[in-house]
Amino acid sequence: MKTVAVVGGGVIGLSVAWRLAARGCAVTVYDPDPGSGASHVAAGMLAPVGEAYFGETELVALMRESARRWPAFAAELTEQAGLDVGYRTDGTLLVARTDDDLAELNRLVRWQASLGLTPQPLRASELREREPRLVPRLRGGAFVADDRQVDPRLVVRALRSLVRVEARAVTDLSTVDGDVVVVAAGCASAALAGLPVRPVKGQLVRLRGPVALRAVIRGYLDGRTVYLVPRADGEVVVGATSEERLDGAVTAGAVLDLLRSAVELVPDLAEYELTETQAGFRPGTPDNAPIIGALRPGLVVATGHYRNGVLLAPVTADAVADLVTGGPDADLVKPFGPDRFGGRTG
Ligand code: GLY
């Protein structure tokens, strides 16, 4: 039986550990506070194209493959843990306020259509039929039925119940034992394994009210974008800034912008309770794609998932399990190996 040490207990590390344990490996996850990093802040949108940029073809293919795996991943996890993970299939409403916003939104819609997805263009009146609480003054938008969501905090809770976690911080890989060590430490992977992963700050707010929104809403407002991710219990996650900053401060300006955008899209949200303001760090890489593969014999990395860690968890976990124990999914992550940066470490 192989022993595996997974360094990092976010959604990626825990998913990898769960999949490896299912292959008969003896797995320990090392993290002083599992799920307290990017996974605690993430909204949980499973939008295989919504968070990618034009031209990121290989990344989009991986995102779509992972999206395809999410229903089974969520079902298995829910069944094995006996815990709900908040998997919802209500889709995403893309909404635009001005002609320029609609032009930007339509570029995304055309790109999605060129990839074989089927976003459905909607007039303002049709948007409000799908979500009557949207502000009336909108130029138009689209409905993306294929988008899904989960609640990352519930995913972490379910995964934690199924894997062995040792609550300690690892600052030196020589202090963990295993036939294989997997580094899944998000931003900390830079110092641990010399990888070009940098923190990209994101600020979010969470609101809570009596009525849940019907779908995720991604708004284009006078050149700004904002997403509203509703949970069944009335929570709405409003995100997110994207800042090349290292401080973890929640700033008045960011909270103001997020709340203003949210209320401009759905005026009723002004009456909701403001329950959390947060700043977290996405593990960004030079090309926005994750770093998954063997760094050297016995050392595998699965990190740098930037804006897409929750979406990419199933395919990452399956691929790492195959890298460690053998199997075809290892091929899926060949374009994302650590060697592609030519030894660059920052
Ligand atoms: N995936 C959402 C974000 O990075 O803000």
Side-chain angles (χ1 to χ4, degrees):
M1 182 199 290
K2 270 194 172 139
T3 56
V4 182
V6 178
V7 180
V11 165
I12 295 292
L14 293 169
S15 300
V16 164
W18 179 46
R19 287 305 204 209
L20 279 167
R23 305 282 179 93
C25 297
V27 189
T28 305
V29 175
Y30 293 88
D31 196 310
D33 191 4
S36 63
S39 306
H40 190 66
V41 181
M45 288 175 289
L46 307 176
V49 177
E51 292 279 88
Y53 293 95
F54 297 93
E56 292 176 343
T57 316
E58 281 172 332
L59 176 57
V60 168
L62 194 71
M63 288 160 76
R64 293 182 69 186
E65 179 56 30
S66 205
R68 200 183 64 74
R69 292 175 188 221
W70 251 109
F73 187 90
E76 264 179 73
L77 184 55
T78 304
E79 194 196 324
Q80 286 186 27
L83 294 167
D84 179 37
V85 297
Y87 182 74
R88 288 178 61 180
T89 59
D90 310 311
T92 300
L93 281 171
L94 306 174
V95 309
R97 181 151 72 187
T98 66
D99 285 339
D100 285 349
D101 294 328
L102 190 58
E104 185 183 343
L105 182 155
N106 280 335
R107 261 170 26 103
L108 176 67
V109 166
R110 280 195 297 276
W111 186 44
Q112 291 185 332
S114 76
L115 293 170
L117 302 172
T118 50
Q120 181 191 348
L122 295 177
R123 290 192 298 271
S125 57
E126 295 168 320
L127 289 169
R128 293 189 74 235
E129 275 164 29
R130 286 193 177 267
E131 177 47 83
R133 295 159 74 212
L134 277 168
V135 70
R137 209 157 40 81
L138 290 167
R139 286 293 293 131
F143 179 61
V144 188
D146 307 320
D147 283 0
R148 308 278 183 254
Q149 66 145 303
V150 284
D151 183 335
R153 294 177 180 180
L154 298 183
V155 173
V156 164
R157 186 180 65 155
L159 287 166
R160 276 193 70 170
S161 74
L162 297 171
V163 304
R164 183 171 178 277
V165 177
E166 193 170 306
R168 80 168 158 100
V170 173
T171 52
D172 178 347
L173 294 180
S174 67
T175 63
V176 288
D177 290 327
D179 299 316
V180 178
V181 174
V182 180
V183 175
C187 294
S189 309
L192 272 173
L195 296 169
V197 179
R198 71 180 198 289
V200 181
K201 181 176 174 180
Q203 298 188 57
L204 299 93
V205 300
R206 288 171 193 256
L207 311 174
R208 189 175 291 276
V211 191
L213 294 172
R214 294 184 183 174
V216 172
I217 299 174
R218 185 180 282 270
Y220 295 75
L221 300 167
D222 304 317
R224 282 172 283 140
T225 58
V226 66
Y227 52 77
L228 310 179
V229 181
R231 310 277 187 236
D233 64 359
E235 183 177 75
V236 182
V237 183
V238 182
T241 66
S242 185
E243 306 163 68
E244 297 285 345
R245 293 181 64 104
L246 298 179
D247 68 89
V250 174
T251 62
V255 172
L256 181 68
D257 281 349
L258 291 167
L259 290 176
R260 193 181 51 168
S261 299
V263 171
E264 282 175 6
L265 271 180
V266 179
D268 288 2
L269 293 179
E271 302 301 326
Y272 278 40
E273 184 185 352
L274 173 60
T275 52
E276 278 180 69
T277 59
Q278 296 181 300
F281 295 99
R282 309 172 180 91
T285 65
D287 59 6
N288 299 336
I291 307 174
I292 307 167
L295 199 57
R296 54 176 189 264
L299 179 60
V300 171
V301 296
T303 189
H305 289 73
Y306 189 38
R307 301 182 73 97
N308 305 303
V310 178
L311 171 60
L312 290 173
V315 81
T316 302
D318 291 342
V320 171
D322 279 7
L323 282 165
V324 172
T325 65
D329 284 343
D331 286 347
L332 289 171
V333 292
K334 271 196 178 140
F336 305 101
D339 47 347
R340 74 183 188 275
F341 302 111
R344 188 166 154 197
T345 58

